Amino acid sequence: MTAFVTGAGGALGGAIAERLGADGLAVAVVDIDGPSAEATAGPILEAGGRATAIACDLRDAAAIERAFAAAEQRLGPVTALVNNAAVFPSGPFTEVTLETLDDTLAVNQRAYFLTAQMAARSMINSGGGVIVNVASIVWHGRWENMAPYVTSKGGVVALTRALARELGPHDIRVNAVAPGAFPTAAEAAQHPDLEAYEREILNAQAIKRRGRVDDVASLVSFLCGDESSFITGQTINVDGGWVMT
């Protein structure tokens, strides 16, 4: 089995790629930053797994097609797709530029659509597969100054449901995971007062610890495995109970 994981040079995507590698999947480690992709692929290879690093700007449809073709040429047909890459612009809705909106939707939504389409074609030919889209708890609402990001992640949930219905007859399962807040470089860049932000998170969560990237990777592993063979069209929150409040 071969997994195609986008945004796999970052903390969350890297954890997902390494977990799938440990599960025995060959992993195409895809990221806009080539050295970061190689850094994620390295431990998988060192552990005796199969992996290849692929630099790809997901804003470029032709680049996505080349990356997918390279993954299948090097590792075999893709049987698991994990759409994880995302950008996180913030600012008042009335000040969002068309450029920012288009950029966010290109990475967080259009790229998910295109990679899923390529994966579905391959999976239909090979007898089935799994698609996992990384959404976010922000699609539930309550978050301000993130309109493009919230819009894109709501679209990911809708796409997940649409594909689950259409691709199910081909033995392709499609689910989404919706992470809460995790300590990553993106979080640090968005929140200058990290101590105050952490207090806010822990006050809101039912579980009083910060999330770990392995919490998301474990769920993705489950959704890509046989034990979840009757689960499709679902969006599962990984947030310590945040959205319950």
Side-chain angles (χ1 to χ4, degrees):
M1 296 179 66
T2 296
F4 187 95
V5 184
T6 69
L12 185 57
I16 292 169
E18 290 189 29
R19 175 58 188 266
L20 295 181
D23 289 344
L25 280 73
V27 185
V29 180
V30 182
D31 199 274
I32 191 171
D33 183 73
S36 294
E38 291 172 3
T40 296
I44 300 173
L45 295 169
E46 291 168 8
R50 298 175 62 216
T52 186
I54 301 175
C56 177
D57 185 345
L58 296 172
R59 300 171 180 84
D60 184 344
I64 296 173
E65 188 170 359
R66 290 193 298 270
F68 199 87
E72 295 211 313
Q73 181 181 33
R74 299 173 193 175
L75 301 175
V78 169
T79 51
L81 167 66
V82 182
N83 277 317
N84 165 73
V87 293
F88 310 86
S90 61
F93 171 67
T94 54
E95 297 177 14
V96 174
T97 66
L98 181 58
E99 180 182 18
T100 296
L101 176 62
D102 286 347
D103 186 68
T104 305
L105 296 180
V107 177
N108 298 8
Q109 200 170 82
R110 188 182 69 176
Y112 284 41
F113 188 103
L114 294 175
T115 51
Q117 189 176 57
M118 293 173 197
R121 291 167 178 161
S122 180
M123 291 172 186
I124 289 171
N125 289 333
S126 58
V130 180
I131 297 172
V132 178
N133 295 319
V134 178
S136 169
I137 62 170
V138 302
W139 80 276
H140 291 283
R142 292 182 48 203
W143 279 266
E144 300 176 354
N145 297 320
M146 300 176 67
Y149 183 69
V150 173
T151 298
S152 69
K153 290 303 183 178
V156 168
V157 172
L159 177 65
T160 298
R161 293 175 176 174
L163 297 187
R165 174 61 64 183
E166 186 167 347
L167 299 178
H170 300 287
D171 199 23
I172 299 171
R173 293 182 288 110
V174 188
N175 291 291
V177 299
F182 288 79
T184 63
E187 177 183 276
Q190 283 186 314
H191 302 280
D193 190 345
L194 284 176
E195 290 186 5
Y197 183 58
E198 183 160 305
R199 287 194 298 271
E200 176 187 343
I201 292 168
L202 295 179
N203 285 335
Q205 290 179 179
I207 297 174
K208 302 303 181 182
R209 69 161 172 85
R210 291 303 308 275
R212 298 185 291 263
V213 291
D214 287 347
D215 294 323
V216 178
S218 294
L219 177 57
V220 173
S221 171
F222 170 71
L223 292 174
C224 288
D226 293 337
E227 292 183 337
S228 61
S229 63
F230 202 54
I231 300 174
T232 196
Q234 304 305 304
T235 298
I236 304 175
N237 298 327
V238 191
D239 68 340
W242 189 347
V243 295
M244 292 196 304
T245 60

